[in-house]
Amino acid sequence: MAQQGIAWLPMVLWAVLVPCSAWLTPRISFPEGSPGRPLVRFHRPDVGNTTLLLLSEDGDTLFVGARDAVISLDVSQEGAMGIRSQLDWSPSENDLQQCSMKGKEMMDCPNFIRVLQFLNTTHMYACGTYAFSPRCTYMLTENLTMTSQSSKPEEGRGRCPYDPYQRNTAITVDGELYTATVADYRGNRPVISRHLSPVDLKLDDTLGWLEDPTFVSSSFIPSEEKIYFFFSEVGREYDFIDKFIVSRVAQICTSDVGGQRTLQRRWTTFAKAQLLCQASSELPYNVVQDITDLPPPEGAPADDTLFYGIFTSQWSVNSGQSAVCAFRLGDIKATFSRNYKVLNRDTLRWSTRVQEKVANPGECGLHNASDNTLRFVKDNFLADDSVQPVGRSLTMVSHDKKYSHLAAQRVRAANHRDYTVLFLLTDSGYLHKAVLLEQGAHIVEEVRVFEQHQSTVGMQLSVSQGVVFVGTSEGVVRVPVANCSFYPSCAQCVLARDPLCGWDHLGRACVEVSASPASLGQDVDEGNVEQVCLTASLSPRSRFGLDQLTTGETVTVSVSLNEVVRLQCPGTSRHAQRTWERPDSRISPDLYLHPGDGSLRFVVTPATLGKYLCLSTENGHRQTLAVYHVRQKTAPPTPTPPARPRTTPTPAPPTWTATTPGGLNPASTTGVWSKISAEVRRHMEGVSAASAAPGTLRPTGPGAVTLGGRPRDPGLEDGERLPRARAPSYLKELVVVSVLLALCLGLLLTVALFAIRQRCRKRTAPQASDGRGGPGEREALRGEPSPRASGKRCNGHGAHGSQSNGQVGSAAPKGSNGHLPNTPICPPPPCGVTPVG
């Protein structure tokens, strides 16, 4: 029984995972350059690697950190992006040569901008890799020119990575720069530091603070006066497995100035904890890829701030490629307020032994604490508990896509409820738009923004402009967050379940919720079309919904018999089930093929002519997507000769019924051929047509009659007509003639074989005697030798095998040896040889 239960387990898991996978399938997919999803692109041949994006406070200017340049784009106009100003900042030839001499590729030696932050309303601060020798500079926001105080760029070690592919994060608070990066050429010294401050701080160089981290994001919480850093690193607290990666959140206080004696110019408020993105009975998604924060709704406490993150797994046994988890600020604060692990500086191993809690690590104001307290927080900076996700479950899981970046937005729908919309970027170049519902995530659409694989990508959401900016190595793409005009009907608008779109009953259009003050039709949670679109005339006059289609939506297809036809069905949604139906008959699987793309294929016959309807069923709503009328091509009219006053229609070939007699002998062959010749002659000379008067009924085919010289199908009612007159068929006549011809040939062959056999029997049979015999026989009877046989004997026999004591009767004589008299029993001797008697 236990083995049977284990055998059924994979089937149960498959049944559970398949609906989830289908649910997370994007409803609509737009390929690159699709007219249904217009995008705006910025690209210049002399500008590359436009991956670092920073949006101005008013949302009208997008600053782009590129290769050897910083660019400001005007994005205030909808559907357009243009350059306002550009700062060219590239290394010298000497710097490039030194970079190449260090063993680096020349393609990695330019100045890749990796830090771009606002210091105030007039100045910006930028840092670049600068040929593996980081440099930083001040610049004016208005025209992107370097200020006089930075005529010579300053060293950027500890503020910007050396390697352009090394990930880092930076944020400015009150004109001070907080960065998380590496501080050496080889990338072995990770550091979280503060710059441009009266008191610059960094982490203690003691081992154990950070273990080979990969920084992904940072966020400032004003109410807490704390900055949170998100990264992944090797978890040294797990000693049962080598290189076990864990995701972390670390915090520091902006008011920290370091200790007076212990931890001088070092962080006294640094603490970190594990972020656990894990489903039940599965290994955790332990590698964080990106984190974004979503402020709480208006009037809600700051503890309701959410951090949405993308996580992947270092193992391939997880059910999905990527997972999204949400963490609440209140839960992070609670984790930091509880117990901490103890680090043994000698063995560099962590323990959870219970000890007296001297201070609360991570608490602001510890820079004024005693040396004993600072030594405690120096050895106890890893929280014992992990931060659990909201609801202790995964927000969403992608089974076939790997996400790399995300942005979050809270949207007020038409029903005055708030919904969270996530914009997720896949490593294959698709931007997914997902809305989070109580029953799970619903992916509204996916848009292809780039095709080439990108090593570094940037993404920035502009709520004021209602667009998402995606920066790649080839340029910047502007993607509107809403695409309401794409949905032509109320049903499509409601089935999209997009909180940004609603159906305007008066204007009969799908519009953006924020742009329409009127009440709009919308159902984000259920997508109930019948309830929302009650005034949109959705009640069909027929079971096929033909009244929902305009006159021009019926497509007529003219085909020929025996032609293969493929009818396409427009795929409006991946969540819909498309089926084909005919108003007057059913679609048999023996005659029709259903490929996986939703089309219908069949061979044209008189039975497959007619109307075809492609129907779509989604979320319980059924609608007609396409109507086809397949008809046979009409033959061109035959011109009538003007000289002939009247034409006699050529009659259809008569239908013959051939009966084969049971015994057919050679004597009847002539009669059969006479009948065949007569029928053929009557047909070829038109005797039947000439002798038949108009209106006379005569046979033209099975089940059809001809009235007044025109064929008529008895199955059609008055006024109905076949799409095309069927061409005359001589198949039955041909079969009858062929059968009769085969019979006649077989009969002739039989007669010929019989005659040949009789002739052979006559040749081989002995001649009948007349009782008197020939001269030779009479001489033999008298005992006189024949002149031809004199002196020619063989062993006492004559030349013809007759013995001296043979008897003669009325039948053919036989010798005593049973042979015929004229048949020798031994060959004749050679000439000149006398046989011995």
Side-chain angles (χ1 to χ4, degrees):
M1 295 295 293
Q3 294 180 355
Q4 293 180 358
I6 295 176
W8 279 96
L9 182 60
M11 299 181 63
V12 174
L13 292 177
W14 180 85
V16 172
L17 292 177
V18 166
C20 298
S21 177
W23 176 253
L24 288 178
T25 301
R27 183 177 180 270
I28 299 178
S29 179
F30 295 98
E32 188 175 11
S34 174
R37 200 65 162 92
L39 307 178
V40 179
R41 299 179 182 273
F42 166 78
H43 171 69
R44 286 185 56 177
D46 58 335
V47 178
N49 292 89
T50 53
T51 57
L52 185 61
L53 307 179
L54 180 66
L55 193 65
S56 63
E57 186 177 357
D58 57 3
D60 292 341
T61 304
L62 180 68
F63 296 92
V64 182
R67 182 182 64 240
D68 295 334
V70 178
I71 304 172
S72 64
L73 299 177
D74 183 7
V75 295
S76 59
Q77 301 296 326
E78 182 179 358
M81 285 191 297
I83 293 183
R84 284 184 172 177
S85 56
Q86 178 175 343
L87 170 65
D88 294 326
W89 184 22
S90 60
S92 63
E93 291 294 334
N94 186 27
D95 295 329
L96 295 177
Q97 292 297 330
Q98 291 183 2
C99 177
S100 177
M101 291 176 62
K102 294 177 183 179
K104 301 300 180 181
E105 298 289 341
M106 287 299 297
M107 60 181 301
D108 299 333
C109 290
N111 184 23
F112 295 89
I113 308 300
R114 300 306 305 273
V115 175
L116 188 62
Q117 292 291 320
F118 294 109
L119 295 178
N120 48 46
T121 57
T122 58
H123 288 75
M124 298 181 65
Y125 193 75
C127 299
T129 59
Y130 207 82
F132 278 80
S133 180
R135 295 288 186 271
C136 296
T137 185
Y138 295 89
M139 64 183 66
L140 296 176
T141 306
E142 183 66 23
N143 53 12
L144 294 183
T145 58
M146 294 185 182
T147 61
S148 58
Q149 61 179 348
S150 63
S151 57
K152 182 179 180 180
E154 57 186 6
E155 183 181 1
R157 183 175 58 180
R159 310 178 189 184
C160 176
Y162 288 74
D163 193 332
Y165 303 105
Q166 184 78 35
R167 298 195 65 176
N168 70 303
T169 180
I171 191 172
T172 56
V173 178
D174 297 332
E176 299 177 345
L177 178 67
Y178 297 83
T179 63
T181 183
V182 291
D184 65 331
Y185 177 81
R186 297 182 180 274
N188 297 328
R189 291 181 55 194
V191 61
I192 296 177
S193 56
R194 181 176 64 192
H195 307 273
L196 311 181
S197 172
V199 182
D200 292 346
L201 297 180
K202 63 179 181 179
L203 285 180
D204 196 316
D205 295 334
T206 307
L207 297 178
W209 290 72
L210 296 171
E211 296 287 347
D212 194 16
T214 300
F215 301 103
V216 298
S217 179
S218 56
S219 179
F220 173 62
I221 306 299
S223 61
E224 299 292 324
E225 295 185 352
K226 291 182 179 180
I227 297 177
Y228 292 92
F229 295 92
F230 300 92
F231 56 95
S232 61
E233 66 173 356
V234 178
R236 294 297 183 186
E237 68 271 25
Y238 299 99
D239 56 358
F240 59 88
I241 185 173
D242 188 26
K243 296 294 183 179
F244 177 68
I245 307 298
V246 295
S247 297
R248 303 288 198 196
V249 54
Q251 66 168 24
I252 52 109
C253 293
T254 56
S255 60
D256 195 349
V257 294
Q260 296 179 359
R261 287 177 296 273
T262 303
L263 295 178
Q264 290 185 4
R265 304 185 69 86
R266 300 292 187 269
W267 295 109
T268 62
T269 57
F270 175 81
K272 65 181 181 179
Q274 180 180 356
L275 295 174
L276 189 60
C277 182
Q278 182 180 13
S280 58
S281 70
E282 277 193 359
L283 291 174
Y285 292 87
N286 56 330
V287 183
V288 60
Q289 300 294 333
D290 194 17
I291 290 281
T292 186
D293 63 296
L294 183 63
E298 185 177 356
D303 287 352
D304 290 339
T305 301
L306 296 178
F307 297 93
Y308 287 94
I310 297 175
F311 296 82
T312 58
S313 177
Q314 69 179 113
W315 305 283
S316 59
V317 296
N318 290 65
S319 61
Q321 295 288 332
S322 298
V324 177
C325 284
F327 301 93
R328 186 173 170 269
L329 176 61
D331 297 334
I332 296 177
K333 292 170 56 179
T335 301
F336 282 130
S337 64
R338 291 193 285 265
N339 296 330
Y340 282 76
K341 298 180 185 297
V342 180
L343 177 63
N344 189 333
R345 293 292 177 177
D346 297 331
T347 61
L348 295 180
R349 292 184 178 274
W350 293 92
S351 64
T352 58
R353 69 178 184 269
V354 179
Q355 62 177 2
E356 182 182 357
K357 190 173 184 180
V358 178
N360 187 19
E363 183 180 354
C364 297
L366 292 178
H367 55 277
N368 293 323
S370 62
D371 292 343
N372 185 31
T373 302
L374 294 180
R375 282 192 293 269
F376 176 82
V377 299
K378 182 179 178 179
D379 295 335
N380 301 266
F381 55 87
L382 178 60
D384 189 23
D385 295 336
S386 300
V387 182
Q388 299 290 335
V390 175
R392 293 184 176 269
S393 61
L394 308 180
T395 302
M396 60 179 292
V397 178
S398 175
H399 298 277
D400 56 347
K401 299 293 184 180
K402 187 176 182 180
Y403 295 128
S404 60
H405 294 75
L406 85 162
Q409 179 183 3
R410 183 172 283 107
V411 178
R412 179 64 58 90
N415 58 1
H416 304 289
R417 291 182 55 186
D418 290 336
Y419 294 89
T420 301
V421 178
L422 299 180
F423 300 94
L424 303 142
L425 189 63
T426 69
D427 57 355
S428 58
Y430 282 96
L431 181 65
H432 286 190
K433 176 182 176 182
V435 54
L436 303 183
L437 307 175
E438 293 182 359
Q439 60 269 32
H442 168 64
I443 302 181
V444 178
E445 62 180 1
E446 66 174 3
V447 185
R448 189 70 177 266
V449 292
F450 61 85
E451 291 187 356
Q452 300 290 340
H453 178 73
Q454 306 290 327
S455 57
T456 57
V457 179
M459 189 166 68
Q460 180 70 47
L461 171 65
S462 175
V463 178
S464 60
Q465 295 291 337
V467 295
V468 175
F469 297 100
V470 180
T472 68
S473 62
E474 301 173 353
V476 181
V477 183
R478 175 173 179 160
V479 185
V481 297
N483 191 30
C484 305
S485 60
F486 175 76
Y487 308 109
S489 63
C490 179
Q492 290 295 326
C493 187
V494 173
L495 289 174
R497 305 172 74 174
D498 189 347
L500 294 169
C501 300
W503 181 257
D504 186 1
H505 297 286
L506 297 179
R508 300 187 64 82
C510 191
V511 298
E512 294 188 29
V513 175
S514 59
S516 177
S519 177
L520 301 178
Q522 188 186 67
D523 189 0
V524 180
D525 295 304
E526 301 296 336
N528 193 327
V529 176
E530 281 70 19
Q531 182 178 359
V532 176
C533 302
L534 187 61
T535 60
S537 301
L538 288 182
S539 300
R541 293 192 300 263
S542 65
R543 61 185 295 267
F544 299 102
L546 295 177
D547 61 334
Q548 301 178 35
L549 301 171
T550 60
T551 306
E553 289 182 346
T554 300
V555 180
T556 301
V557 182
S558 299
V559 295
S560 302
L561 293 179
N562 300 325
E563 181 181 349
V564 178
V565 175
R566 182 172 185 175
L567 303 180
Q568 297 287 350
C569 186
T572 58
S573 171
R574 290 184 176 180
H575 295 173
Q577 181 181 4
R578 289 175 290 178
T579 58
W580 288 88
E581 291 190 8
R582 299 188 64 184
D584 52 355
S585 63
R586 73 182 188 92
I587 296 181
S588 173
D590 298 335
L591 301 178
Y592 299 89
L593 295 178
H594 298 270
D597 57 355
S599 62
L600 184 68
R601 299 183 65 180
F602 57 91
V603 178
V604 178
T605 62
T608 58
L609 297 175
K611 283 190 175 181
Y612 292 85
L613 301 98
C614 179
L615 306 177
S616 171
T617 303
E618 181 180 1
N619 201 22
H621 174 68
R622 196 183 195 197
Q623 58 181 337
T624 303
L625 300 180
V627 178
Y628 292 94
H629 184 197
V630 181
R631 66 179 184 181
Q632 189 175 354
K633 293 180 181 179
T634 56
T638 304
T640 303
R644 300 181 62 181
R646 180 178 179 181
T647 59
T648 303
T650 302
T655 301
W656 298 325
T657 303
T659 57
T660 305
L664 188 63
N665 50 59
S668 62
T669 305
T670 305
V672 172
W673 279 104
S674 300
K675 293 180 181 180
I676 295 176
S677 301
E679 292 290 346
V680 173
R681 186 165 53 253
R682 290 179 58 195
H683 174 63
M684 298 299 295
E685 295 177 355
V687 176
S688 300
S691 59
T696 304
L697 297 179
R698 56 184 180 273
T700 59
V705 295
T706 300
L707 180 60
R710 298 184 62 181
R712 171 181 170 85
D713 193 337
L716 297 177
E717 299 294 337
D718 295 338
E720 296 184 358
R721 186 174 297 176
L722 290 173
R724 179 185 176 187
R726 184 178 298 180
S729 176
Y730 303 95
L731 180 61
K732 292 186 177 181
E733 289 79 359
L734 179 63
V735 171
V736 173
V737 172
S738 301
V739 171
L740 293 178
L741 181 60
L743 291 176
C744 294
L745 292 176
L747 183 60
L748 292 176
L749 182 61
T750 302
V751 173
L753 291 176
F754 180 79
I756 294 173
R757 181 181 179 184
Q758 292 297 332
R759 293 183 61 184
C760 291
R761 292 181 62 182
K762 289 180 180 180
R763 290 180 180 179
T764 58
Q767 299 294 331
S769 176
D770 56 358
R772 292 174 297 181
E777 293 180 357
R778 289 193 296 268
E779 292 177 0
L781 289 176
R782 290 194 301 267
E784 298 177 359
S786 173
R788 292 177 299 176
S790 59
K792 295 181 181 180
R793 294 181 178 270
C794 181
N795 297 331
H797 294 79
H800 298 283
S802 59
Q803 297 179 355
S804 58
N805 56 351
Q807 299 180 358
V808 179
S810 61
K814 292 184 180 182
S816 60
N817 56 359
H819 293 277
L820 294 177
N822 58 349
T823 302
I825 61 175
C826 62
C831 298
V833 179
T834 302
V836 180

